[in-house]
Amino acid sequence: MRKDRTVYLKDYRPTDFIIETVDLAFELGETLTTVASEIRMKRRPGAGADAPLELVGDGLQLAGLALDGRPLLPERYECTSDHLKILDLPAEDEFTLTIRTHINPTANTQLLGLYRTNGIYSTQCEAEGFRRITYFYDRPDVLAVYSVTIIADKARNPLLLSNGNLVEERDLGDGRHMAKWDDPFRKPSYLFALVAGDLAMIEDHFTTMSGRDVTLRIYVEHGKAGRAGYAMDSLKRSMKWDEERFGREYDLDIFMIVAVSDFNMGAMENKGLNIFNDRLILADPETATDDDYARIEAVVAHEYFHNWTGNRITCRDWFQLSLKEGLTVFREHEFSADQRSRPVVRVDEVKFLRAHQFPEDGGPLAHPVRPTQYLEIDNFYTTTVYEKGSEVSRMIATVLGEEGFRKGLDLFFERHDGGAVTIEDYLTCFEDATGRDLSHFSLWYHQAGTPLIAASSAYDEASGRLSLTLSQTTPPTPGERVKKPLHIPLRVGLISPNGDDMEPSSSSGGERTGDVLHLTDTEQTFVFEGIGAAPAISLNRDFSAPVRVRFDQSRENRLRIAGAESDLVARWDTINALALEVLSRATAAIQAGDPVDTDSELSDILIATAEDERLEPAFRALALTLPSELDIGREIASDVDPEAIHLARNAVFSAIASSGRATFQRLVESLREDGPFSPDADSAGRRALRNAALAYLTVADQSPKAADDAYRSATNMTDMIAALRILAHQFPDSTEAVEALSNFRKRFDGEPLVLDKWFTVQATIPGAKTLDRVAELMGDPGFDEGNPNRVRALVGAFATGNPTGFNRPDGAGFRFFANFILATDPRNATLTARMMTAMRSFEALEPGRRKLARAEIERIAEHEDLSRNLRDIVDRMLKS
Ligand code: TRP
Ligand code: ZN
């Protein structure tokens, strides 16, 4: 029997002891590092006078234990690799506990705790990595002031970094040196960080709103300093924006970012010392795409924003994870919207939510934004906690208005600075600041599943009255069959026959604030008076709520929205929905052996939108981009046949390509790059439109020529990879594709982040043959199975981005993937568990593939010695 280690929210209770200060001393050795932790603590008033001190570890080796400087006798404590229990501690007095542990950073392939790769020591402590360094109260509600002394070989590790301010640096005369860092801010252990090694650095400065000078440093591998400039620029813009938008000022005298190449996730907000996956720092025009630039800007901002939302105010326990992550994603989204084009940024968010969060919320791994139990917290760093959590904060802002939201957030910072708090505490601040009752609204945090809104309308011309009936249902999710109605703030636009917004003279049937309808019941009819002509109704403008909408409005009305809606998010959404309908119908036709209706009305809209110079190029590019095969599969939702989808999409794509050929050629020619590269959003938008047009042009001509020309003449990575993708995906066997791929491989030899793009382009070539290519690429000298970026770029991209290849009808794709997961799980459990979620929607496949997929997941589950992370995921996937 496996021990049930499920953690429950209801079991929360504070620790018996309070930690005041922690003084850590690291003697860094590649295979043997000694950690001395001196903890000043005392019994919590009210805790039992004889309660033992119970600390956690993970794979630790104890090398010494002392109480107030005297070694502890063995009968005073119990110790295993993951537990340290000390008895007979003072009832009232403060005491100092000294714990020495031995760890091996080189053997640490999990990349959690202290690890050494590529000659760099670095740490990842969130969520439960600190316990792999020393025994501790490794939980977010234990806040302490830390000092950190690092001793290491000076030649190999000229750089010794930790949180806070450098207070001492000394040569030890024996080839080693030491550095001591003090962090004056109380923090939980998950925000601890240490970096040592030899790195290049760029430095800049920021003057805060109160006039303090902050030193900014970004550390990267030698030779890469020239690629850190955009991250630095993003950091300065983030600091300024957080002051202006939310009144948040940075608090230490130095802010450091270190980019490392082996990192499980995107980045980590350690106090004063953010550690990043290098793909989210390094960029120059020759090696990074516009999407890379946008991600770097967003993630640098995200981690910086955590300094207030996460660090100064942290979570009481990990069930509250969305308190910091959802809110910080929301702040990041708002930052991106202010730096770039707001509607374009919003459309990208909607696409991401639908592609990742909706399937999670509708599948076996569904959970509320604030879960009530977990087996492995690592598996709860999900798009539900992050992105849906962000949407919930956005809805609070919609309900309260921007000013009310700001007031509530100001109160949150004032009331809870220095605290470890709950989502209830967060909500209470908005209630107290505005007087609005959010008790019904708060259900968004507790109920899983994506609500479906069904709408119908009736318009009476004689009275000028429009009634709009909205009903909501949320499908059942694991462990939660019955759902309650939510408070859904829905932005609505009424669009007149000539495309203008119409204002009702009055309305009834439910609360309305401006253009926001507050749907709170299972069904409500909103009645609008004073509507002079039959309106087209645009629902969920700006994607004001993370819901699905079903509204059978006339095609004429939908075309009105697609052509004239002033809210560009809703306009894109309608164009996208029309395309999805055409593509789903075409798929059904392929399956039935009927001719495909490629729908000339759809091509007309896409082409007209692409040509419309009143619209910004980035938006036109979005409109022109057909839903992906994955998008279509999600729309069809059951008995999905990836092969039929592929053929249907190609047919529709070709039809649009032929009918718009002249437009596409004109766009490709007129949007040619001139002048030096700039990563700004406008320039990126022009490149996006040009490359979208290029894909159509190439298909219209049934020749790789245009893409080949574009590849050869590309002056930046955005254009280069776009051309390479078209060549490889549309004409995989052409000499042009083969030569471009080989040219790219040679040209970027020794550039792992660029070769990741090369791996991904090939892993996502549609068709059954790609599996062999992926297997072969795993033998490429540029591939490294120990590096999460390489693994995700090749194996991850194949599983998540190649519906026809991965879902081969013979199951070979699943088998390959399962073998990879089983082989990699012992090395890096965080990575394999996350990758495994690629198969979470297997129940949506047609019966043949579904059965084969299930068999492979079951084969994984049969292994006795899976990591807890992977065990948790596969068991939940099979349970539903
Ligand atoms: N807190 C990080 C963020 O900014 C997420 C993160 C980074 C993380 N590394 C991790 C979470 C390792 C779990 C495990 O979103
Ligand atoms: Zn975060």
Side-chain angles (χ1 to χ4, degrees):
M1 269 297 283
R2 278 185 284 264
K3 194 161 134 207
D4 183 15
R5 309 196 30 177
T6 304
V7 183
Y8 296 94
L9 170 64
K10 63 175 167 45
D11 292 344
Y12 173 81
R13 62 180 195 95
T15 56
D16 288 329
F17 292 83
I18 299 167
I19 297 185
E20 316 260 298
T21 60
V22 182
D23 297 298
L24 296 168
F26 288 80
E27 275 185 56
L28 295 178
E30 291 166 21
T31 54
L32 175 63
T33 287
T34 304
V35 185
S37 164
E38 207 175 286
I39 313 173
R40 237 182 53 221
M41 62 197 324
K42 63 166 192 262
R43 198 173 288 272
R44 183 186 297 278
D50 55 359
L53 171 66
E54 303 206 57
L55 304 179
V56 292
D58 180 359
L60 290 177
Q61 195 188 328
L62 185 69
L65 186 59
L67 182 65
D68 290 325
R70 282 182 300 278
L72 261 189
L73 297 175
E75 59 267 27
R76 294 277 305 273
Y77 69 91
E78 289 164 18
C79 186
T80 67
S81 66
D82 59 9
H83 191 78
L84 174 62
K85 180 173 177 175
I86 303 173
L87 311 160
D88 306 328
L89 286 164
E92 279 165 26
D93 299 344
E94 210 175 85
F95 59 90
T96 301
L97 193 67
T98 308
I99 305 169
R100 292 170 72 80
T101 51
H102 284 161
I103 55 180
N104 180 349
T106 300
N108 185 349
T109 59
Q110 302 288 342
L111 312 181
L112 259 183
L114 175 69
Y115 59 95
R116 185 173 189 271
T117 59
N118 269 317
I120 307 294
Y121 292 91
S122 64
T123 52
Q124 172 54 42
C125 290
E126 187 174 6
E128 299 182 331
F130 192 73
R131 62 186 65 184
R132 292 164 61 85
I133 295 172
T134 184
Y135 296 96
F136 202 69
Y137 271 141
D138 189 17
R139 43 188 277 177
D141 61 341
V142 174
L143 308 180
V145 169
Y146 287 61
S147 86
V148 180
T149 302
I150 312 168
I151 296 173
D153 179 83
K154 189 173 182 173
R156 288 184 163 213
N157 308 287
L159 194 70
L160 304 174
L161 308 178
S162 191
N163 317 86
N165 304 309
L166 181 67
V167 291
E168 193 185 342
E169 205 170 17
R170 210 156 24 88
D171 204 297
L172 298 178
D174 55 357
R176 300 186 305 165
H177 66 150
M178 70 81 80
K180 184 166 185 244
W181 294 81
D182 279 355
D183 180 359
F185 290 93
R186 280 163 22 103
K187 67 168 174 289
S189 54
Y190 81 87
L191 291 174
F192 164 79
L194 177 156
V195 172
D198 189 2
L199 292 167
M201 188 262 283
I202 66 166
E203 183 174 293
D204 208 324
H205 289 265
F206 180 80
T207 306
T208 70
M209 61 195 204
S210 69
R212 280 188 309 105
D213 175 71
V214 180
T215 300
L216 310 176
R217 290 188 181 147
I218 299 182
Y219 294 90
V220 297
E221 266 175 26
H222 283 291
K224 305 271 167 75
R227 295 186 197 172
Y230 189 73
M232 182 64 90
D233 179 58
S234 304
L235 174 61
K236 289 192 287 181
R237 284 185 282 122
S238 309
M239 296 177 86
K240 183 122 196 74
W241 183 89
D242 213 14
E243 292 184 346
E244 288 170 356
R245 177 73 187 269
F246 288 116
R248 298 298 105 200
E249 186 177 2
Y250 186 62
D251 49 15
L252 287 162
D253 298 331
I254 183 165
F255 185 83
M256 297 174 282
I257 292 176
V258 178
V260 300
S261 50
D262 294 270
F263 199 73
N264 276 341
M265 311 273 277
M268 182 61 213
E269 70 264 25
N270 317 298
K271 183 76 186 190
L273 179 57
N274 287 186
I275 299 180
F276 270 63
N277 187 320
D278 59 357
R279 81 185 157 85
L280 292 166
I281 292 295
L282 301 173
D284 65 16
E286 284 74 45
T287 58
T289 63
D290 291 322
D291 288 347
D292 293 331
Y293 278 97
R295 285 304 296 152
I296 288 168
E297 177 183 86
V299 180
V300 166
H302 177 104
E303 305 309 332
Y304 173 72
F305 296 156
H306 268 314
N307 192 55
W308 274 97
T309 50
N311 302 4
R312 289 286 289 254
I313 304 178
T314 194
C315 303
R316 187 194 71 171
D317 53 66
W318 290 121
F319 297 101
Q320 321 298 329
L321 182 58
S322 194
L323 173 80
K324 75 176 177 82
E325 294 304 347
L327 175 56
T328 304
V329 171
F330 178 55
R331 280 151 52 66
E332 168 206 324
H333 284 175
E334 282 299 288
F335 170 73
S336 293
D338 284 346
Q339 301 291 311
R340 292 169 176 259
S341 154
R342 182 165 281 269
V344 168
V345 164
R346 187 66 185 140
V347 169
D348 282 334
E349 289 159 11
V350 174
K351 288 173 75 162
F352 185 89
L353 199 76
R354 286 189 178 142
H356 302 282
Q357 200 278 325
F358 281 19
E360 179 169 272
D361 227 356
L365 303 180
H367 55 274
V369 173
R370 203 214 52 194
T372 54
Q373 62 178 80
Y374 61 76
L375 188 59
E376 170 54 62
I377 190 57
D378 250 18
N379 290 342
F380 279 80
Y381 286 75
T382 61
T383 66
T384 296
V385 165
Y386 276 66
E387 278 77 21
K388 188 176 181 181
S390 165
E391 294 302 318
V392 177
S393 277
R394 177 182 299 274
M395 286 189 288
I396 296 174
T398 302
V399 169
L400 302 181
E402 195 166 334
E403 208 182 303
F405 185 78
R406 174 68 200 267
K407 270 201 205 150
L409 209 53
D410 283 349
L411 180 60
F412 177 66
F413 292 128
E414 189 189 309
R415 188 182 279 176
H416 295 298
D417 186 15
V421 307
T422 63
I423 280 171
E424 282 78 5
D425 294 326
Y426 174 65
L427 284 171
T428 302
C429 291
F430 293 107
E431 295 187 316
D432 290 354
T434 64
R436 175 137 194 160
D437 178 358
L438 293 174
S439 48
H440 184 197
F441 180 85
S442 70
L443 192 55
W444 277 105
Y445 283 104
H446 309 304
Q447 182 170 286
T450 306
L452 172 68
I453 295 183
S456 62
S457 67
Y459 174 69
D460 177 49
E461 188 157 8
S463 57
R465 178 178 296 158
L466 170 75
S467 27
L468 175 65
T469 301
L470 301 173
S471 66
Q472 57 165 312
T473 50
T474 301
T477 53
E480 200 180 53
R481 306 224 63 84
V482 183
K483 302 289 183 180
K484 297 182 192 135
L486 292 150
H487 173 182
I488 302 175
L490 214 55
R491 282 192 199 280
V492 173
L494 305 178
I495 300 154
S496 78
N498 52 27
D500 298 328
D501 276 15
M502 300 165 91
E503 272 296 318
S505 56
S506 68
S507 68
S508 59
E511 188 189 355
R512 174 171 72 93
T513 47
D515 63 348
V516 180
L517 303 182
H518 297 258
L519 176 62
T520 51
D521 294 341
T522 305
E523 186 175 303
Q524 264 166 277
T525 298
F526 291 87
V527 177
F528 304 88
E529 309 285 350
I531 306 295
I537 303 173
S538 180
L539 287 180
N540 210 13
R541 272 185 163 179
D542 199 36
F543 204 68
S544 61
V547 298
R548 292 177 211 273
V549 176
R550 191 186 300 139
F551 184 19
D552 293 324
Q553 194 165 198
S554 70
R555 185 146 175 130
E556 187 203 327
N557 276 0
R558 297 172 74 201
L559 293 177
R560 193 190 294 171
I561 297 169
E565 162 65 298
S566 58
D567 180 89
L568 290 181
V569 179
R571 183 155 167 189
W572 166 81
D573 199 15
T574 296
I575 295 172
N576 188 250
L578 288 165
L580 274 173
E581 253 169 52
V582 171
L583 291 160
S584 307
R585 255 190 282 121
T587 304
I590 297 265
Q591 284 175 299
D594 295 340
V596 170
D597 174 6
T598 52
D599 197 305
S600 62
E601 231 166 27
L602 176 67
S603 332
D604 292 349
I605 301 167
L606 297 195
I607 295 162
T609 310
E611 280 178 336
D612 189 343
E613 298 203 341
R614 292 164 303 180
L615 297 166
E616 58 185 315
F619 180 83
R620 291 150 66 194
L622 283 171
L624 196 52
T625 305
L626 276 189
S628 70
E629 292 173 19
L630 291 155
D631 295 331
I632 303 163
R634 282 187 291 270
E635 177 71 12
I636 295 172
S638 59
D639 289 329
V640 171
D641 175 355
E643 209 62 53
I645 291 173
H646 178 69
L647 295 171
R649 187 180 186 278
N650 277 359
V652 174
F653 194 92
S654 298
I656 299 167
S658 314
S659 84
R661 191 190 176 286
T663 299
F664 300 134
Q665 181 160 35
R666 193 155 7 92
L667 288 172
V668 168
E669 276 161 15
S670 66
L671 293 165
R672 222 174 275 284
E673 260 320 78
D674 48 4
F677 178 91
S678 161
D680 69 273
D682 285 339
S683 311
R686 280 193 296 277
R687 285 186 285 271
L689 180 57
R690 180 167 188 267
N691 287 321
L694 178 66
Y696 283 104
L697 180 63
T698 316
V699 167
D701 291 350
Q702 292 178 42
S703 152
K705 170 118 186 18
D708 190 50
D709 290 348
Y711 179 81
R712 289 166 193 275
S713 62
T715 57
N716 59 71
M717 182 49 69
T718 303
D719 292 339
M720 195 167 198
I721 203 75
L724 185 67
R725 189 179 303 110
I726 296 169
L727 286 172
H729 288 203
Q730 302 293 345
F731 308 94
D733 301 319
S734 66
T735 43
E736 285 86 348
V738 173
E739 274 172 21
L741 283 168
S742 120
N743 166 281
F744 193 97
R745 176 68 186 83
K746 281 198 211 88
R747 173 157 175 185
F748 295 105
D749 192 40
E751 292 283 1
L753 293 173
V754 188
L755 289 185
D756 282 349
K757 302 179 195 304
W758 182 76
F759 286 129
T760 297
V761 161
Q762 294 180 83
T764 52
I765 296 173
K769 284 199 315 201
T770 298
L771 174 58
D772 292 341
R773 192 192 282 260
V774 171
E776 193 183 311
L777 285 169
M778 286 176 74
D780 187 284
F783 186 72
D784 172 359
E785 62 191 3
N787 179 284
N789 288 353
R790 296 309 83 75
V791 167
R792 276 189 288 256
L794 184 58
V795 185
F798 177 63
T800 57
N802 191 341
T804 47
F806 181 58
N807 302 296
R808 263 167 66 141
D810 64 358
F814 305 141
R815 204 168 322 123
F816 164 84
F817 184 66
N819 287 340
F820 179 83
I821 292 287
L822 284 169
T824 311
D825 188 45
R827 176 204 279 270
N828 188 333
T830 310
L831 179 67
T832 45
R834 291 188 86 74
M835 284 179 70
M836 192 65 216
T837 63
M839 291 186 77
R840 69 180 160 211
S841 298
F842 76 97
E843 298 272 20
L845 292 166
E846 52 80 22
R849 289 176 170 89
R850 189 192 313 157
K851 189 158 161 265
L852 292 163
R854 175 176 283 277
E856 291 303 322
I857 303 168
E858 281 169 349
R859 182 163 69 85
I860 294 173
E862 275 158 23
H863 282 253
E864 269 303 312
D865 49 358
L866 299 183
S867 67
R868 184 160 69 229
N869 303 53
L870 183 58
R871 164 67 52 204
D872 172 36
I873 296 288
V874 291
D875 282 357
R876 279 193 282 150
M877 273 169 48
L878 292 170
K879 211 161 30 184
S880 68

